Amino acid sequence: MTVHSVTDRVVAEPAGAARAAAFDHALDVLRDRRDEFNAARFVPRDFIALLKRSGMYRASTPNRFGGEPMAPADFMKMVERISAVDPATGWVSSFGSSLVYFAALPVESQAMIYADGPDVAYAGGLFPMQEAEKVPGGYLCSGVWQFASGCRGADIIGIGLAGGPDTGGKPLTALVRPEDVEIIENWAVAGMKATGSHAVRADRVFVPEAMTFVRGGPPQIDEPLTRYPSLAYAAQVLSVVTLGAARGALDYVVEVGAARSSITGGSSKGNRPAYKNGVARAEAELRSARAFFYETTESVWRQAVLGETISAEDRALLRLSATHAAHVGRSVVLAAFDLAGTGAIYETHPLQRFLQDALVPAQHAMLQTNTFEAAGAVLLGLDAGIPSFP
């Protein structure tokens, strides 16, 4: 399956100053259009094209196919900066990391996907896993899959299939072209509206077996990024959205608190003891969670680059740092909301964007509170109690 981009074969700007400028331009456009994206409930294709120009959609394409794989920390810092402007768009941009899953495909299949270039936008609506009819050469797929974030701007979509004897019972992801499925616009939510995480429906769509893979399965290409734990990375790129949201919220209350006077003409909010204390505590919590998150990421990345064994404990720490960041980030946004006072309850208040979106990542199955227990179990040498953890 050669991917014909819905964004008209947009390619990244040359690495260096031009690409950095493209990213800064995308952030400027986002500041102007984030309300539009929120109202439309999806990030449009023309903005995905801007992110492609910034290199985000070749950041996990293997080097051998023209990609320019980024160190996870470097990629996630880009997601974090986007999320500080608009968390929902940050969530969509985070899936620039998800081509790491394709490394489990046969090499020939990967070559077909990247035949027209390395800048590929992928969206996955994987659940619930559906039974597919096995036919010669592949599967006939029918069903409805939920939570396909970014599907309105994707070049390729993944759907989840229940595994069988051929896969050792492990579920499969089947890759389909967007035009072969129907997008069901059912994303009626309070937070992360602009992610466009609609459902997708397929009706007896044939998917060649060579275009299916076990999510997180053994990579068929050996590069540093394919050695980095893919499922942990999937949790991290969602978690870092909350760190960005917390940064955006905290920057707002610092700016307001630094004003010389309040809206009533009285002393600045920042002069109030509770405000100063709240800002300081939130800043310390955010920076501490962020330090743990990136310290763990960079430690495991060094092992991947050197080809060293990445242990279950290493992967558990990645998952723990991701869960911790999502929950701390959420608490920082709530602290900023408290500091902002009554005005923050209005729908049009700047903090509402961060509040509504920042509550969502920690609700994700990969970041819920039970993953704290699972990480602790692995660190103690016990069974995690959660499938595919860490």
Side-chain angles (χ1 to χ4, degrees):
M1 172 177 24
T2 300
V3 177
H4 298 288
S5 175
V6 296
T7 48
D8 300 322
R9 300 317 312 160
V10 174
V11 299
E13 296 290 341
R19 192 172 297 175
F23 184 65
D24 289 341
H25 173 65
L27 292 179
D28 289 340
V29 171
L30 181 58
R31 290 184 187 95
D32 291 338
R33 298 183 63 189
R34 56 192 175 183
D35 291 339
E36 171 198 333
F37 299 171
N38 191 63
R41 294 180 183 267
F42 70 96
V43 178
R45 293 174 178 177
D46 65 308
F47 190 79
I48 297 297
L50 296 184
L51 295 180
K52 285 188 175 184
R53 290 192 176 96
S54 75
M56 294 196 76
Y57 286 96
R58 62 172 55 191
S60 59
T61 301
N63 182 269
R64 68 180 290 179
F65 297 120
E68 297 176 62
M70 292 181 66
D74 294 340
F75 177 80
M76 289 190 288
K77 287 174 183 176
M78 294 179 74
V79 174
E80 188 180 10
R81 287 183 63 191
I82 294 170
S83 301
V85 178
D86 184 60
T89 303
W91 184 278
V92 172
S93 75
S94 77
F95 294 105
S97 67
S98 60
L99 301 184
V100 292
Y101 296 136
F102 292 5
L105 286 164
V107 174
E108 296 79 8
S109 300
Q110 297 181 55
M112 290 176 62
I113 289 172
Y114 301 120
D116 286 343
D119 302 284
V120 176
Y122 169 68
L126 304 180
F127 302 100
M129 298 292 179
Q130 303 286 358
E131 296 285 348
E133 180 183 347
K134 188 76 168 68
V135 295
Y139 301 87
L140 285 177
C141 304
S142 298
V144 176
W145 293 264
Q146 305 292 335
F147 306 117
S149 298
C151 59
R152 292 284 298 270
D155 300 318
I156 190 168
I157 292 175
I159 54 178
L161 306 182
D166 293 344
T167 68
K170 294 180 179 178
L172 290 173
T173 298
L175 300 182
V176 298
R177 295 175 298 183
E179 58 265 33
D180 290 336
V181 296
E182 175 191 1
I183 295 175
I184 304 171
E185 296 194 356
N186 66 343
W187 191 236
V189 293
M192 290 290 179
K193 293 177 183 177
T195 64
S197 303
H198 300 296
V200 296
R201 176 189 286 130
D203 183 15
R204 295 183 66 79
V205 173
F206 175 73
V207 180
E209 189 167 3
M211 285 295 170
T212 67
F213 61 91
V214 174
R215 185 167 177 251
Q220 302 305 303
I221 290 177
D222 182 31
E223 293 185 6
L225 194 56
T226 66
R227 300 174 202 147
Y228 192 85
S230 59
L231 293 180
Y233 196 18
Q236 287 185 290
V237 296
L238 301 181
S239 176
V240 78
V241 171
T242 322
L243 292 180
R247 182 75 271 158
L250 195 52
D251 284 350
Y252 174 81
V253 296
V254 168
E255 180 182 2
V256 170
R260 291 185 178 272
S261 62
S262 72
I263 192 172
T264 63
S267 64
S268 167
K269 283 186 176 183
N271 277 326
R272 301 170 188 173
Y275 204 98
K276 289 182 281 190
N277 183 66
V279 165
R281 288 181 179 275
E283 189 71 48
E285 289 174 6
L286 177 57
R287 288 176 181 261
S288 297
R290 191 174 184 274
F292 175 37
F293 182 86
Y294 283 114
E295 175 191 338
T296 307
T297 299
E298 289 165 356
S299 175
V300 175
W301 175 244
R302 285 192 293 270
Q303 295 177 65
V305 170
L306 295 173
E308 297 175 352
T309 299
I310 298 171
S311 68
E313 290 77 10
D314 295 325
R315 297 194 301 274
L317 285 172
L318 287 176
R319 295 295 302 270
L320 176 59
S321 70
T323 297
H324 181 249
H327 288 261
V328 169
R330 178 164 66 173
S331 72
V332 168
V333 173
L334 288 169
F337 180 71
D338 287 343
L339 292 172
T342 306
I345 69 174
Y346 286 92
E347 291 181 348
T348 55
H349 194 278
L351 278 183
Q352 281 294 326
R353 172 188 332 282
F354 301 112
L355 178 67
Q356 293 176 30
D357 288 353
L359 294 177
V360 176
Q363 300 294 109
H364 194 281
M366 298 189 84
L367 298 168
Q368 289 177 4
T369 52
N370 64 339
T371 56
F372 279 115
E373 180 182 353
V378 174
L379 295 177
L380 290 166
L382 305 173
D383 182 74
I386 298 177
S388 301
F389 191 99

